[in-house]
Amino acid sequence: MSFGQGGPSWGGPEGQQSPQDPYGTNTAPDTPDWAALADASAARARRKRWMYIGGGVLATAVVGAIVATAVVTTNGKPGTNGSATGLPTPEVLPTGSAQPGPSFSSQAPPPPPNPRDFISSAQKDKLPLSADSLFPGKKLKMGERAYAKGATNRTTSCSAATQGALGSVLANNGCDQVIRATYSTGGVAVTVGVAVFDTAAQAQKAKEQASGGLASLPGAGVPTFCRGGSICRKTANAYGRYAYFTVGGFTSGKNVVTTDKDVYTTGDDLAEFTFRQIHQRGKTQASAAATAGQ
């Protein structure tokens, strides 16, 4: 060891001290300063973050400037269709059509013909009329009930098809003909007769004035019934220019009373069937008239 003017000097590496610790109090000269390193790292991270943010803002500003410049540059120039946005103007579609549109009549179509109109007057009721057209087939079914058809008859002498005062009533109202048919089941027989007139008013008046009754029509396996004073059930109805009547009872000649359900049911079934047949004449002719008018 030597001493000079500047103070003591240590000549070997073994005795060399750190400038920050000239008196040798630092016992671990190689340990890093962790706090300083952390502060330095945080500072570098902040600088990078601000660089990223600044770069993004700058890029956004540049893009906005480019778009604004493009809009201003292309506004009103050829090829832009005069649009400030540079988009093409929507194509104008034609409002008219070369083909004429559908036309509709301002008038409502006429209502379909009423079937009753055709069966209410001889001038319009032109379908052929016979016992076979009114009472077709050999049997009649109404629901679950079946009736066998017996004799049929058509006569222009209306009184010949009646009993009592009914003949005069039909003749006085202009009866043209009477068509009859008999049906039977289980010892019960009923004859239905249709009197034909020129107008519905005549048929209605004959129905209202009806007295006496229709003459039963035996034959074709049905014996004489409702003759010789036996009590039978009688009905009278009218529809259109037709008045129709029934007379029904037992083929044994027994008198009919109100509790004889089979006689009443058979008579009602035949009256209903006759009404349907007359109405069908009207429907057929109305349908044909509607088709011809199309």
Side-chain angles (χ1 to χ4, degrees):
M1 180 179 65
S2 62
F3 295 92
Q5 186 178 359
S9 172
W10 290 271
E14 294 181 359
Q16 187 176 0
Q17 301 297 320
S18 170
Q20 288 80 15
D21 192 12
Y23 300 104
T25 58
N26 188 356
T27 59
D30 296 330
T31 300
D33 189 345
W34 297 111
L37 293 175
D39 291 340
S41 177
R44 286 193 300 273
R46 284 193 298 271
R47 285 195 299 271
K48 290 181 179 180
R49 184 164 59 251
W50 282 112
M51 290 177 64
Y52 292 153
I53 293 174
V57 171
L58 179 61
T60 301
V62 171
V63 172
I66 293 173
V67 172
T69 302
V71 171
V72 173
T73 302
T74 59
N75 185 22
K77 295 298 181 65
T80 63
N81 295 321
S83 172
T85 62
L87 298 177
T89 303
E91 183 179 355
V92 178
L93 299 178
T95 58
S97 175
Q99 298 296 329
S103 60
F104 300 93
S105 174
S106 60
Q107 297 181 351
N114 188 342
R116 190 164 185 169
D117 293 342
F118 290 87
I119 57 173
S120 294
S121 171
Q123 295 180 352
K124 299 186 70 174
D125 189 11
K126 297 298 185 179
L127 281 182
L129 181 63
S130 65
D132 288 337
S133 65
L134 279 178
F135 309 108
K138 296 181 178 180
K139 290 184 179 181
L140 170 63
K141 290 195 68 176
M142 295 291 286
E144 297 179 353
R145 298 176 296 277
Y147 306 100
K149 188 171 77 171
T152 61
N153 175 265
R154 175 184 178 274
T155 179
T156 57
S157 177
C158 296
S159 59
T162 65
Q163 296 184 91
L166 184 59
S168 298
V169 171
L170 298 182
N172 292 337
N173 285 287
C175 177
D176 178 67
Q177 59 181 308
V178 175
I179 300 174
R180 290 179 294 169
T182 296
Y183 292 84
S184 64
T185 179
V188 173
V190 175
T191 295
V192 56
V194 178
V196 185
F197 300 86
D198 285 341
T199 67
Q202 292 172 314
Q204 182 65 28
K205 190 174 181 180
K207 177 253 182 181
E208 293 173 352
Q209 297 175 350
S211 179
L214 189 70
S216 63
L217 181 66
V222 180
T224 300
F225 65 100
C226 293
R227 299 289 182 94
S230 61
I231 299 175
C232 292
R233 189 203 181 207
K234 302 173 184 178
T235 67
N237 292 281
Y239 184 53
R241 68 186 188 107
Y242 302 92
Y244 53 101
F245 309 89
T246 66
V247 55
F250 295 101
T251 56
S252 64
K254 184 178 71 169
N255 291 333
V256 175
V257 296
T258 56
T259 57
D260 290 324
K261 179 180 177 181
D262 290 344
V263 175
Y264 279 77
T265 299
T266 303
D268 291 345
D269 281 349
L270 289 181
E272 174 66 21
F273 175 72
T274 302
F275 168 81
R276 294 180 185 180
Q277 289 297 96
I278 296 171
H279 183 67
Q280 184 59 47
R281 287 178 59 84
K283 288 180 62 177
T284 300
Q285 295 176 94
S287 178
T291 302
Q294 291 179 352

